Each structure stands twice: as C-alpha cells, then as structure tokens.
Amino acid sequence: MMLQCRLTLLVLIIMTVTMLVLDQIQCSPVNTRNNNQIAGHPLSKRSFFDIQCKGVYDKSIFARLDRICEDCYDLFRAPQIHTLCRKDCFTSDYFKGCLEVLRLTDESDSIQADIMQLHGVDPGL
C-alpha cells in the first residue's frame, strides 16, 4: 500500500513537471546565485513568511531545505517546481516527492526536525 502511494506520488510529480515543462518551453529560468538567493529565490525572512512558515527562522536550515527544492528544480528544469516544493513551508507533496526523487529519504528524520523548527509543527513526513 505504501509503495503504491509513493509510486502514485512520483507519477503525479513527473506528470506535473512534464506539463509545466511543455507549457513553459519558451521560458528560460533564472539561475542567478549569490549569498541571499538560490535560483533567483530569496532566502530572506520575508520569503520565510511568504511560504507560510510560522516557526523559528534559521537562515542555514532555510537554505538547506531550499537547496533540496533547487536540486529538484535542477533535475526537472520546470520553473514552478521550486515554488511548489517550498509551498506550505516545505510540507507539500512536491517536497516529499523531491526527497524521494533525490534519494534523501534516509535523511528524513533530520529534515523533519528542520521543517518542524521552521514550520512550527510536526510536518508528518
């Protein structure tokens, strides 16, 4: 049952990404990187609140989780994947799917603790 749910989620992510890529074929994503941005997305405290985080802001944890979403974006090259991955303070199904696709499930306890600090509640990954 759990395997079937994971496969369904993975298929959903792949289908969504494929649709996004086909829809955005003429758009080129921004890949600007500096200390305060990843893939053109700010790591500021405002960005923290914009994605509905209600816990304690920690720039290094925020950057680590955002990096997971950036790596997922780099894999699929769909501009919206970064936003969908970060949605609801890194608790969306897209974030969970990115963990699976990037093979980071063995780090889920550490990642869950990081999300709990930022989100303010147990994310239930």
Side-chain angles (χ1 to χ4, degrees), residues 74-114:
D74 286 341
L75 184 63
F76 294 107
R77 291 291 181 189
Q80 292 86 351
I81 199 74
H82 191 267
T83 302
L84 294 169
C85 177
R86 291 169 30 124
K87 186 177 178 187
D88 298 327
C89 197
F90 306 101
T91 60
S92 70
D93 287 338
Y94 287 92
F95 183 81
K96 294 172 193 170
C98 287
L99 290 178
E100 297 231 350
V101 176
L102 296 170
R103 299 180 183 229
L104 296 173
T105 52
D106 57 327
E107 297 178 36
S108 64
D109 289 341
S110 171
I111 291 169
Q112 187 169 0
D114 288 346

Side-chain angles (χ1 to χ4, degrees), residues 1 6 15 33 36 48 53 57-58 61 65 69-70 75 79-80 89 94-95 100 103 109 113 117 119-120 123:
M1 181 71 171
R6 287 183 178 184
M15 288 175 49
R33 292 185 190 202
N36 294 321
F48 172 79
C53 293
Y57 175 74
D58 182 311
I61 291 174
L65 297 175
C69 294
E70 182 188 356
L75 184 63
Q80 292 86 351
C89 197
Y94 287 92
F95 183 81
E100 297 231 350
R103 299 180 183 229
D109 289 341
Q117 180 172 343
H119 193 268

Side-chain angles (χ1 to χ4, degrees), residues 3 10 12 24 30 35 40-41 46 52 70 87 90 96 108:
L3 180 60
L10 185 58
L12 174 66
Q24 299 293 324
V30 176
N35 290 338
H41 303 282
R46 176 172 173 103
Q52 308 304 312
E70 182 188 356
K87 186 177 178 187
F90 306 101
K96 294 172 193 170
S108 64

Side-chain angles (χ1 to χ4, degrees), residues 28-44 47 66-67 70 73-74 79 82-83 86:
S28 62
V30 176
N31 277 325
T32 307
R33 292 185 190 202
N34 65 39
N35 290 338
N36 294 321
Q37 291 190 348
I38 294 181
H41 303 282
L43 295 176
S44 68
S47 178
D66 192 76
R67 181 64 195 199
E70 182 188 356
Y73 158 79
D74 286 341
H82 191 267
T83 302
R86 291 169 30 124

